Amino acid sequence: MSDTGSSRFVRRVCLVTGAATGIGRAVAWRMAKEGGAVAILDINGDELETTRAGIEARGATAYAVVADVSIPTDVRAAISQVESALGPIDVLVSNAGVPIVGKIQDLSLEDWDRTFAINTRSTFVVVQAVLQGMRERRRGAISITASSAALVGEVGSAPYAPSKAALVNFTKQVAVENAALGIRCNCVCPGWVDTPFNDPAFTSEAERRETVLRQVPIGREGVPDEIAAAIAFACSDDASYMTGHTLVVDGGLTLGPS
Ligand SMILES: NC(=O)c1ccc[n+]([C@@H]2O[C@H](COP(=O)([O-])OP(=O)(O)OC[C@H]3O[C@@H](n4cnc5c(N)ncnc54)[C@H](O)[C@@H]3O)[C@@H](O)[C@H]2O)c1
């Protein structure tokens, strides 16, 4: 957890999905460090417990709930559980995702449906579930984790990239429907980030290094803290005039050929 020395989430209840590892864990740590009462949700109970213990070891609060974001009834029950334990949710980070990739002719309908259920439909369900309370209280901030893949064509990126592209536009729908009620919604598009997520994409460390060097002008993968910094900014009052925005944090990956 980086020491930000800031307290932007004091007296805020923050829910982070996909918080067992990677970017979600870094976001949860950061929001807790900045004073938030953080709820973490994931399907991976063992790693979620590691995130929770890490937050509590630093003297902050964390409430863990194991749920599968692709099952709407489980998501809604998990949110009720969080609100009973910590109070109404002020900040939502919809971040859980899976990297189902492959060339179009090799993909099954099940691959497509599963990807959209976990990456896309889950965001609709979780946003809808917290919005009612945010609208009643006339305050709230939402960040949705999309991907740089949402913004370009990439060989082998269906259905992952389209599932994330839908989130870029869904962010704008949430933003316009709720801006007048004091609720902001932005999305963050990471490029290559060093998390377990990308392990299946490479057969060796050498291939990983070569791909990143070739594609990323900054010349390295991002680290989870660098994405967490952008998500925390989007959810904080520092971004009070920003909504519907797509914040690309990709080391220059989508700038085009260098
Ligand atoms: N790592 C990257 O290079 C990268 C790039 C662009 C976007 N992203 C996005 O960032 C987000 C976080 O990914 P990460 O890199 O931290 O990877 P990660 O694998 O470390 O984290 C993803 C988390 O989502 C959880 N998850 C998966 N399916 C779930 C389900 N059905 N229900 C509940 N939780 C579930 C996983 O258990 C895991 O904890 C994802 O949405 C991913 O698409 C990652």
Side-chain angles (χ1 to χ4, degrees):
M1 180 177 357
S2 61
D3 189 355
T4 61
S6 152
S7 52
R8 295 177 295 183
F9 298 100
V10 169
R11 285 185 297 281
R12 295 197 189 172
V13 174
C14 311
L15 170 63
V16 185
T17 75
T21 54
I23 294 166
R25 171 183 283 172
V27 172
W29 280 2
R30 190 177 186 111
M31 289 182 171
K33 170 81 185 171
E34 292 200 37
V38 176
I40 49 177
L41 182 155
D42 205 285
I43 199 170
N44 181 343
D46 290 345
E47 290 293 339
L48 196 65
E49 175 50 26
T50 305
T51 304
R52 195 197 61 76
I55 291 171
E56 301 224 324
R58 290 162 173 87
T61 310
Y63 181 82
V65 53
V66 177
D68 180 341
V69 294
S70 69
I71 304 176
T73 47
D74 287 12
V75 172
R76 293 182 195 119
I79 287 171
S80 297
Q81 220 178 305
V82 168
E83 297 205 314
S84 301
L86 299 181
I89 293 165
D90 303 298
V91 172
L92 168 67
V93 180
S94 181
N95 169 78
V98 286
I100 297 172
V101 293
K103 290 194 178 162
I104 291 160
Q105 65 272 26
D106 300 327
L107 290 164
S108 66
L109 206 49
E110 288 70 32
D111 292 330
W112 181 273
D113 287 346
R114 186 160 164 267
T115 308
F116 272 75
I118 297 173
N119 292 357
T120 317
R121 192 184 68 185
S122 71
T123 296
F124 165 69
V125 172
V126 76
V127 166
Q128 191 183 50
V130 301
L131 256 181
Q132 189 54 36
M134 287 181 172
R135 288 171 66 90
E136 282 160 19
R137 295 186 301 283
R138 299 179 79 87
R139 80 174 206 164
I142 299 171
S143 176
I144 294 173
T145 310
S147 170
S148 60
L151 310 173
V152 293
E154 255 176 22
V155 173
S157 266
Y160 176 73
S163 78
K164 293 294 188 175
L167 294 179
V168 172
N169 190 273
F170 181 62
T171 297
K172 296 176 202 278
Q173 306 306 322
V174 178
V176 290
E177 285 187 15
N178 296 284
L181 291 171
I183 299 158
R184 297 182 300 100
C185 181
N186 293 287
C187 84
V188 171
C189 289
W192 288 115
V193 184
D194 188 4
T195 72
F197 198 79
N198 291 324
D199 293 348
F202 303 106
T203 51
S204 68
E205 268 310 303
E207 186 197 357
R208 188 168 185 147
R209 262 196 313 279
E210 187 279 320
T211 305
V212 169
L213 271 177
R214 182 166 36 81
Q215 293 186 356
V216 182
I218 282 184
R220 62 171 176 83
E221 279 180 275
V223 295
D225 267 348
E226 291 175 305
I227 311 305
I231 292 173
F233 163 69
C235 292
S236 77
D237 290 346
D238 286 343
S240 53
Y241 202 53
M242 186 176 90
T243 196
H245 189 63
T246 305
L247 199 53
V248 181
V249 190
D250 69 350
L253 174 71
T254 49
L255 293 176
S258 50

